[in-house]
Amino acid sequence: MTAGAAGAAPGQAPVTVVGLGLMGAALAGAFVTRGHPTTVWNRSPGKDGPLVERGATSAATPAEAFTAAPLAVLCVKDHEAVREILRQAGEALSGRVLVDLTTGTSEDALRTAREAEGFGARYLDGAILATPDAIGLPDTAILYSGPTALFTEHEATLAALGGSPLHLGATEGLASLYDVALLGAMWSSLNGVLHATALVGSEGVGADAFAPFAGMLFQAMGVFVTRYAEQIAAGDFTADDSTVRTHLAGVAHLVRESAVRGVDGTLPGHLRSVLTEVAARGHAEDSYASVVEYFRKPAL
C-alpha cells in the first residue's frame, strides 16, 4: 500500500473509492478535499498518481482497498465490472458498506446488491446527476436508495460529494431507475432542441443565435412538468391549456416544415404517430398529460 503525503482532517470518516475514471477520480478528489482519509484502487494501474500526490492512499488489490475503510464508493464502467471486483475482494467485503454509483438499470442494482450481501456487505444504490467537474459543489445532486438507516449513518460523509444527498427510499434500485428515466428525458429533450437547431439552420440561423430561444423554452417547461404531474397523479386529464387534438395539428406543421427544409423528419413523424394513437384511444380532447397513457400501455 502506498500512502500519500498529505494528512487527513481529524474526525473525518475514512473512505475507499473504487474506479478512477473521470467520475471516480472526481469522487475521490472530493473526499480528499474534505479531509477524509481516502484509499483508491483502479483496475488499470497509473490513474491514482495525482490523487496520491494530494494525500490519497493507493491500494494494490480490491481486498486491500475494501479493508481500508468501512465505507466504499464504487464507480466503474458497468455492473458486471462491479460484481467481478466484488468476487475478487471476497471475504474482505464482510461488514463493509458499499455505495454503488455505477450507471446501470434498476435490475443491475438489485443483482449487485444481492451479490454484495452474499459477501456480508451492505449496499446503497446511487445515481449522479452531474458531470465530473460538478462533484463536490453545493448544488450537485446525487440520488441514493436502499436501507434508510444505512443512508442516514453515512449521509454526512456522502455530503462531501456535493450538495445535500437525496435519499429516494428504501427500495433498492430506485436511484438507478430515476437515473435512466431522467437520462431518457434529457436525450429526448436534447434531440428536440437539435432538430429545431437544424430546422432554423436551414435558413442560415446560427446555433448560437438560436440557443437563447431554446433556453427560454426550457425555463418555461418547468410549469408544464408540474401541471401535468398533478393531472397524472389525480388521474384527471381535463385540458386547461390545449388539447391533444390541438397539439396534433401543430405537429403536422412541424412534419411539413421539416420536409420542405430537407431536415430529417423521423422525430416529428414519431411524435405525430404517438399523438394520433393517443387521440384514437379517446384522449383527443384531453390535455397533453394524457400521453403518459401511451407509454404506460404502448401500442402493439
Side-chain angles (χ1 to χ4, degrees), residues 77-99:
K77 69 172 186 175
D78 55 34
H79 278 262
E80 182 54 47
V82 173
R83 291 189 288 270
E84 177 57 32
I85 291 168
L86 299 187
R87 292 168 200 143
Q88 291 178 41
E91 62 183 18
L93 296 169
S94 181
R96 307 298 165 185
V97 174
L98 308 182
V99 179

Side-chain angles (χ1 to χ4, degrees), residues 39-179:
T39 299
V40 296
W41 181 83
N42 192 69
R43 284 192 297 177
S44 54
K47 291 189 174 183
D48 57 2
L51 289 162
V52 170
E53 289 178 2
R54 292 174 56 188
T57 298
S58 176
T61 66
E64 188 176 296
F66 287 116
T67 55
L71 176 70
V73 173
L74 299 95
C75 186
V76 297
K77 69 172 186 175
D78 55 34
H79 278 262
E80 182 54 47
V82 173
R83 291 189 288 270
E84 177 57 32
I85 291 168
L86 299 187
R87 292 168 200 143
Q88 291 178 41
E91 62 183 18
L93 296 169
S94 181
R96 307 298 165 185
V97 174
L98 308 182
V99 179
D100 191 0
L101 298 181
T102 300
T103 300
T105 67
S106 57
E107 183 182 16
D108 288 329
L110 291 170
R111 181 178 172 188
T112 303
R114 299 291 83 78
E115 191 146 347
E117 291 165 359
F119 288 112
R122 295 179 292 168
Y123 183 90
L124 285 173
D125 178 33
I128 302 169
L129 306 185
T131 52
D133 59 331
I135 296 300
L137 299 181
D139 294 332
T140 297
I142 302 181
L143 311 180
Y144 300 92
S145 61
T148 303
L150 190 60
F151 169 78
T152 301
E153 180 183 351
H154 297 283
E155 181 177 3
T157 299
L158 295 173
L161 302 180
S164 300
L166 303 173
H167 186 240
L168 301 176
T171 302
E172 293 170 325
L174 193 57
S176 288
L177 178 60
Y178 268 59
D179 188 30

Side-chain angles (χ1 to χ4, degrees), residues 195 199 243-259 265-276 288 291:
H195 179 272
L199 199 58
T243 65
V244 168
R245 189 187 303 279
T246 300
H247 283 285
L248 188 53
V251 170
H253 300 320
L254 179 60
V255 171
R256 289 200 302 273
E257 190 74 68
S258 298
T266 303
L267 191 64
H270 176 65
L271 177 56
R272 180 173 60 182
S273 297
V274 170
L275 292 181
T276 298
Y288 199 90
V291 175

Side-chain angles (χ1 to χ4, degrees), residues 198-199 202 256-265:
L199 199 58
S202 69
R256 289 200 302 273
E257 190 74 68
S258 298
V260 169
R261 295 283 176 173
V263 174
D264 185 88

